[in-house]
Amino acid sequence: MHQTHRDAEDIQDDDLLLRRITPASHTALQPDGTRILTGFAFRERNDECSMYVAKEVTHEKVLSCGFPTQEIVEVRAGDVRKLGYMIVREPDNCDNSHVFAKAKAYKSRGQIAKDCKALAELVNAHNARVAREGAQ
Amino acid sequence: MAQALHLPNFIELKRLRQDQESNRRQWSGVKSLQSPAWLKEIYDRISALKLLEENWDSYGGLPVAETAIKAVRVLLSNLDIEDLPTPHVAPLPDGGIGLHWRVGARDLEIEVEPNGKVHYLQTNVGEESIPGDVHSLPEAQNALDWVLGK
């Protein structure tokens, strides 16, 4: 049966979404000792990226639903939408704040890889900015 | 006593040239023995991916497919990778394998599907990524050469 998905209007573009990552698999060590996030961090088996709404849940709660080695990365809801995705609410066993990113129109494997990379690069740029500010 | 130099006669020279030509033909398709130091470590990491169980990523990720492991081995053992830095190896949630390199501002993600199909994503950091499909070893080589700016 065809299921209709709806973008959650109560989630603002500036709201942060939390995504569990597995650092050993999703981050790559650079020659300068820093770690960068790869696009693989946002890939999912069904091409619908699971996240949690940060203002409604704690990092600890989200981590408690994963594995001990996992960490959290944050992306802005507006950045996910700009790439052509709806943010669909779907409470799961972990928390009611669970959402997933659903493409508004069909996207090929290459397009999805490109979108995941764009999100990873936003996280990398943010982390680099925070590291620079911390060093000053 | 000085040892006499053996100077081949013309017939021997001709045979020598034929042997050299034959050797060139025999070995020209064989990859250099100068494999990068990281190759063994990467093969071990790829083999270790077999141990991952379903839901390894806490989002329902599938175990890595044997076909993907074989495809990555074929890829790495048939390409000129001597100048590349160690890649980052990642399992993919559909049972495939990802390889990642970043050299300066050039970033390359290679994705091997569980059925062995290969794709790449080239990104100049700060710019839009360019996805592509790999249908042959020369295409894969081009993608790798790009990350080194060749």
Side-chain angles (χ1 to χ4, degrees):
Chain A
M1 198 176 81
H2 179 72
Q3 197 178 353
T4 308
H5 298 293
R6 209 160 45 91
D7 188 49
E9 289 173 3
D10 61 315
I11 300 173
Q12 309 301 309
D13 279 353
D14 280 337
D15 285 339
L16 292 175
L17 304 175
L18 310 180
R19 165 95 177 152
R20 280 190 304 270
I21 61 151
T22 307
S25 298
H26 299 142
T27 65
L29 187 64
Q30 297 305 285
D32 65 1
T34 59
R35 283 199 163 268
I36 55 166
L37 194 65
T38 66
F40 305 137
F42 294 96
R43 301 299 292 275
E44 227 167 281
R45 172 180 172 179
N46 58 1
D47 293 332
E48 293 173 353
C49 185
S50 266
M51 288 172 282
Y52 296 85
V53 183
K55 64 183 179 185
E56 300 170 13
V57 69
T58 62
H59 282 213
E60 289 74 20
K61 177 76 186 293
V62 174
L63 284 172
S64 73
C65 304
F67 300 118
T69 54
Q70 290 191 303
E71 291 176 9
I72 299 272
V73 293
E74 298 174 337
V75 291
R76 284 179 65 254
D79 291 327
V80 178
R81 286 185 174 124
K82 264 187 226 162
L83 291 167
Y85 293 82
M86 295 180 283
I87 295 164
V88 181
R89 283 199 178 270
E90 189 188 53
D92 69 0
N93 292 337
C94 177
D95 198 80
N96 285 340
S97 65
H98 178 258
V99 294
F100 64 91
K102 173 86 184 166
K104 286 182 187 166
Y106 168 78
K107 285 189 182 253
S108 68
R109 192 182 180 95
Q111 285 170 322
I112 290 166
K114 193 172 153 180
D115 295 340
C116 291
K117 187 70 178 174
L119 288 178
E121 284 307 309
L122 285 171
V123 174
N124 288 332
H126 172 78
N127 289 346
R129 206 164 39 243
V130 169
R132 268 198 310 275
E133 286 165 4
Q136 283 170 358
Chain B
M1 200 172 80
Q3 203 171 355
L5 286 172
H6 172 69
L7 296 173
N9 61 29
F10 286 114
I11 295 169
E12 282 177 319
L13 273 175
K14 191 177 173 192
R15 201 190 66 232
L16 203 62
R17 272 199 295 273
Q18 283 170 343
D19 285 350
Q20 284 170 343
E21 182 58 33
S22 156
N23 277 348
R24 231 186 340 265
R25 277 201 304 272
Q26 183 181 355
W27 296 107
S28 60
V30 176
K31 193 182 164 295
S32 160
L33 292 175
Q34 301 297 314
S35 297
W38 49 258
L39 193 57
K40 164 79 170 65
E41 179 195 335
I42 292 303
Y43 281 160
D44 289 347
R45 272 197 231 165
I46 290 164
S47 297
L49 295 179
K50 284 184 205 168
L51 303 174
L52 290 175
E53 293 174 354
E54 185 162 354
N55 196 36
W56 59 267
D57 58 354
S58 77
Y59 292 112
L62 294 174
V64 170
E66 190 65 43
T67 308
I69 292 175
K70 284 181 186 159
V72 172
R73 283 175 168 269
V74 167
L75 208 59
L76 292 178
S77 59
N78 282 284
L79 296 174
D80 179 6
I81 50 174
E82 286 169 48
D83 298 331
L84 283 167
T86 312
H88 172 70
V89 177
L92 297 178
D94 63 355
I97 297 175
L99 298 171
H100 171 263
W101 284 271
R102 181 171 289 193
V103 179
R106 288 179 184 234
D107 187 289
L108 177 71
E109 289 183 356
I110 293 221
E111 189 180 325
V112 179
E113 284 190 57
N115 60 12
K117 285 186 184 169
V118 182
H119 312 274
Y120 66 83
L121 189 71
Q122 293 173 331
T123 309
N124 272 306
V125 177
E127 295 175 20
E128 204 167 320
S129 305
I130 300 166
D133 299 326
V134 171
H135 304 102
S136 65
L137 287 172
E139 283 179 359
Q141 188 68 60
N142 285 342
L144 292 178
D145 287 347
W146 173 84
V147 82
L148 289 173
K150 285 185 184 174

